[in-house]
Amino acid sequence: MPLTRIALRAGKPAPYRKALVQGVHAALMETFNVPEDDQFMIVNEMDADNFVFGRHYLGVERSDDLVIIQIAANNTRGQEQKKALYAKIADNLARNPGVRKEDVFVNLVTVAREDWSFGNGLAQYAT
């Protein structure tokens, strides 16, 4: 059960934000085999003062349309699956809503299954 946070500058319309969620979730389903209804996403819109990033870090030219995607998932996926996820997210978001690949920043945080704290013994159902 990945938990995804999507951060972007405030001001994008609802269909744009919805396309971000759909694009990330489609990539998770395809590359991480996440079930269709396993969707836990938080979208945060930030004003310019609270959305700080390196516009030229590592030679990548980022714009005000930067989208930061942080995914917390079990550490059950290999390096190739992780690379495929990053590429699929960038492809999906480039197609819809039209985010430049240079403006897609993905941070994957992996945790051991026993680290999930669902309460009520639900951790056994995490994917």
Side-chain angles (χ1 to χ4, degrees):
M1 179 177 76
L3 171 63
T4 303
R5 292 180 176 271
I6 301 172
L8 67 154
R9 287 275 299 269
K12 297 293 185 187
Y16 184 96
R17 296 187 311 271
K18 184 176 182 178
L20 294 176
V21 168
Q22 290 173 334
V24 172
H25 189 61
L28 283 165
M29 288 191 306
E30 182 176 327
T31 62
F32 273 25
N33 301 314
V34 170
E36 185 174 348
D37 65 343
D38 186 355
Q39 191 171 22
F40 298 89
M41 299 199 180
I42 301 163
V43 178
N44 295 111
E45 293 184 274
M46 317 294 284
D47 62 33
D49 290 338
N50 293 309
F51 194 65
V52 180
F53 57 92
R55 290 188 176 272
H56 313 289
Y57 183 67
L58 295 178
V60 178
E61 298 298 319
R62 295 172 188 84
S63 75
D64 286 342
D65 291 327
L66 177 70
V67 177
I68 299 175
I69 301 158
Q70 185 176 36
I71 301 169
N74 287 327
N75 62 354
T76 57
R77 279 79 177 200
Q79 192 71 14
E80 291 307 311
Q81 268 185 298
K82 293 173 187 175
K83 288 179 182 179
L85 174 66
Y86 300 150
K88 193 63 177 173
I89 289 173
D91 288 344
N92 287 354
L93 300 188
R95 189 170 37 267
N96 186 27
V99 180
R100 294 171 52 243
K101 290 184 179 183
E102 296 85 357
D103 284 329
V104 177
F105 182 98
V106 179
N107 174 246
L108 178 63
V109 178
T110 58
V111 296
R113 288 185 79 124
E114 63 271 8
D115 289 343
W116 288 99
S117 56
F118 294 103
N120 300 325
L122 296 178
Q124 67 190 10
Y125 299 109
T127 57

